[in-house]
Amino acid sequence: MICAGVSVAFIIGTVLTWRALALTGIIPCAILFLGLFFIPESPRWLAKTGKEKEFEAALQKLRGKDADITHEAAEIQDYIETLERLPKAGMLDLFQRRYLRSVTIGVGLMVFQQFGGINGICFYTSTIFESAGFSSSVGTIIYAILQVVVTGLNTIVIDRAGRKPLLLVSATGLVLGCLLVGVSFFLKDHELGLESVPALAVTGILLYIAAFSAGMGAVPWVVMSEIFPINIKGVGGSLATLVNWFGAWLVSYTFNFLMTWSSYGTFILYAAINALGILFMIIVVPETKGRTLEQIQAAINA
C-alpha cells in the first residue's frame, strides 16, 4: 500500500504542478483523520494496561460481532503475562550482549536498505531521467507501475522463497542497477557512446526499483518484526525505525551534492554499499521463515 500511494503520487505528479501535488496530500490526511474516530484501541495494549472490558470489546469489534474471541483473548492474556515476567528493557539495554546480535541484524538491514540510495534515486527519478536524456514523464510512470507490480509479487513469494534468498537476490539487482546507471553517466561525462546513455540509465533505474521492490523494500521490516525477543521488541523496533528514517533523510539530503560531485561516482558508491549489504546478509542475517521466536533466537545466539 505504501508503494501504491507513492506510485499514485508519481503518476499524478506528471500532470500537476508541485504546489497542486503537495495540496493533494491533504485528501488522504483528512480521510485518515476521520477514520481514526472509528478505529478501536489496540486490544493488546488494553490488556496490558488492565482494561479487561475495553480489551474484549476492541477485540470483538476487530474480529466481527459474531466471531468467537475466547481462544484469542486467552492467548493474548497469556502473552501479556509472559511479557510481564520478563525484565523491562530500555534503549540502553539493547546493547547488552544477549540482545546485541538481534540489534545488529535489525539496524544493519535498515542501514543497507537506506544507504543503498533508494530515497535519493526515488525522489530524483525524473531528474535522473532528464540528465540521461530520457523523457522524465514516461520514465516516472513506468517506474511507478513497475514498483507496484513487483512489490505485489513479493507479497506472494515471501513466505515461499524465504527472507534471506529474497534479500540476496534483491541486493544483487541493486548492485547491477547502480552499475548500469553509473556506466551511463560515465559515458555521458566522457562523451562516449552517447546513443546508448538513455537506454543504460533507464534500464539501470528500472532494474534498481524492481530489485528493491522484490526484497529490500519490505523484507527488512519483516525480519525486524521477527528477530527481537518480546520484551525488547518495542524498543528494538523503534531504534531500527529511527535509523531507517535518519538514513532516508541523509541520503535524500546528500543526493544532489553527490551528483554535483560526480554523477557516475554517486552510483558507484551506492553499488559498493549494496555489495557490502550482500556480505552482511550472507554472514550475519539468519533465515527466519517458518521458525518460532525461540528457534530464531537460538540461531542468532549460536
Side-chain angles (χ1 to χ4, degrees):
M1 295 308 296
I2 290 173
C3 287
V6 170
S7 295
V8 168
F10 265 105
I11 292 169
I12 64 175
T14 61
V15 295
L16 296 179
T17 64
W18 70 264
R19 196 182 302 277
L21 179 63
L23 289 172
T24 60
I26 295 172
I27 298 169
C29 289
I31 295 170
L32 178 61
F33 176 74
L34 295 172
L36 287 172
F37 290 100
F38 301 96
I39 296 174
E41 183 56 84
S42 160
R44 287 175 183 266
W45 182 83
L46 290 169
K48 187 178 178 182
T49 53
K51 298 178 179 178
E52 190 69 29
K53 290 183 179 179
E54 292 91 335
F55 155 63
E56 292 181 0
L59 187 59
Q60 191 73 66
K61 186 173 182 179
L62 287 168
R63 299 295 176 255
K65 62 179 181 179
D66 297 323
D68 182 5
I69 62 167
T70 308
H71 181 67
E72 186 177 4
E75 282 187 340
I76 291 173
Q77 292 286 16
D78 288 343
Y79 173 88
I80 297 299
E81 289 172 11
T82 302
L83 188 60
E84 290 298 321
R85 288 195 295 269
L86 291 170
K88 298 291 185 292
M91 190 64 75
L92 293 178
D93 294 318
L94 292 176
F95 302 98
Q96 293 179 18
R97 186 174 180 180
R98 56 181 168 171
Y99 301 137
L100 200 53
R101 186 104 189 271
S102 295
V103 172
T104 301
I105 294 165
V107 170
L109 284 175
M110 295 306 178
V111 167
F112 287 111
Q113 183 197 66
Q114 290 299 331
F115 285 88
I118 181 57
N119 275 297
I121 293 169
C122 177
F123 293 154
Y124 295 99
T125 297
S126 59
T127 307
I128 296 168
F129 284 138
E130 285 176 5
S131 300
F134 189 80
S135 168
S136 62
S137 296
V138 173
T140 298
I141 291 170
I142 296 171
Y143 176 107
I145 294 171
L146 181 65
Q147 181 177 237
V148 175
V149 171
V150 178
T151 304
L153 292 173
N154 176 263
T155 63
I156 297 171
V157 302
I158 189 168
D159 280 327
R160 298 178 183 177
R163 285 50 160 154
K164 196 166 181 174
L166 281 177
L167 285 170
L168 292 172
V169 169
S170 176
T172 303
L174 295 179
V175 172
L176 294 175
C178 287
L179 289 176
L180 284 174
V181 180
V183 168
S184 75
F185 280 114
F186 179 85
L187 294 175
K188 183 183 178 184
D189 288 355
H190 292 81
E191 297 185 349
L192 301 169
L194 293 178
E195 67 282 351
S196 63
V197 167
L200 281 172
V202 172
T203 302
I205 290 294
L206 295 181
L207 174 59
Y208 182 96
I209 192 57
F212 186 83
S213 301
M216 283 300 290
V219 176
W221 295 102
V222 176
V223 172
M224 183 195 75
S225 72
E226 296 174 329
I227 59 169
F228 289 118
I230 58 175
N231 61 315
I232 67 159
K233 194 179 286 286
V235 201
S238 297
L239 176 63
T241 304
L242 175 64
V243 170
N244 182 282
W245 285 106
F246 174 77
W249 167 78
L250 190 60
V251 170
S252 305
Y253 182 77
T254 58
F255 183 80
N256 277 334
F257 296 110
L258 288 171
M259 289 291 282
T260 302
W261 160 67
S262 171
S263 52
Y264 63 85
T266 300
F267 286 92
I268 298 302
L269 175 63
Y270 289 154
I273 293 171
N274 285 309
L276 288 174
I278 293 174
L279 291 177
F280 176 81
M281 292 162 205
I282 291 172
I283 297 169
V284 180
V285 179
E287 178 56 73
T288 59
K289 184 192 81 166
R291 292 184 175 184
T292 64
L293 177 60
E294 291 74 22
Q295 290 171 330
I296 293 168
Q297 288 302 303
I300 287 173
N301 296 313

